Amino acid sequence: MPIDATKPYDDSNIFARILRGEIPCQMVHEDEHALAFRDINPQAPTHILVIPKGAYVSWDDFSTRGSAEEIAGFVRACGLVAREQGLVEPGYRLLANVGRDGGQEVPHLHVHIFGGRGLGPMLSR
């Protein structure tokens, strides 16, 4: 169910629990700013989620409150994961849903990395 991205951060969300080690994940990358892991319900042959380690509800929240170091580290982590997964040459898609109309379901910023096949149009028509 889509969330209201203007609400305060809820530290009981599933990604906060993964960051605290309360829920396991199939980690593919971790550094001081980000954690990347395989989606449990993949929508493409490669479907990885990248989350910042800070408590940010959405891209809007992160771009407003995140430090320059956190933002740069997070963006670099997304690129590093795509390169390590061999997605740069064939191509891939990054997706960050924000709020109700964007279809955001977890109140912690996350970027989806999709790849491994042709992905079709950006939006269904």
Side-chain angles (χ1 to χ4, degrees), residues 64-82:
T64 300
R65 296 187 312 106
S67 70
E69 184 178 332
E70 287 175 300
I71 293 168
F74 181 72
V75 171
R76 286 184 192 344
C78 291
L80 177 69
V81 169

Side-chain angles (χ1 to χ4, degrees), residues 5 24 30 39 90:
E30 183 174 23
D39 194 291

Side-chain angles (χ1 to χ4, degrees), residues 13-124:
N13 76 73
I14 191 168
F15 294 159
R17 295 180 66 207
I18 288 171
L19 284 168
R20 289 193 301 266
E22 296 170 6
I23 298 174
C25 69
Q26 288 186 314
M27 182 175 53
V28 298
H29 174 79
E30 183 174 23
D31 62 32
E32 73 178 282
H33 298 293
L35 176 68
F37 51 93
R38 299 200 180 280
D39 194 291
I40 62 171
N41 185 26
Q43 304 298 304
T46 300
H47 185 174
I48 294 169
L49 299 172
V50 185
I51 63 175
K53 288 193 169 177
Y56 300 102
V57 174
S58 67
W59 193 265
D60 179 68
D61 184 26
F62 187 53
S63 66
T64 300
R65 296 187 312 106
S67 70
E69 184 178 332
E70 287 175 300
I71 293 168
F74 181 72
V75 171
R76 286 184 192 344
C78 291
L80 177 69
V81 169
R83 285 190 300 280
E84 288 179 346
Q85 296 296 310
L87 299 175
V88 175
E89 189 275 324
Y92 62 98
R93 179 171 295 156
L94 296 177
L95 174 68
N97 299 316
V98 178
R100 283 189 293 261
D101 283 356
Q104 183 179 359
E105 295 181 345
V106 178
H108 186 111
L109 169 62
H110 53 289
V111 170
H112 298 260
I113 299 177
F114 299 105
R117 67 167 167 80
L119 298 169
M122 287 196 329
L123 298 172
S124 60

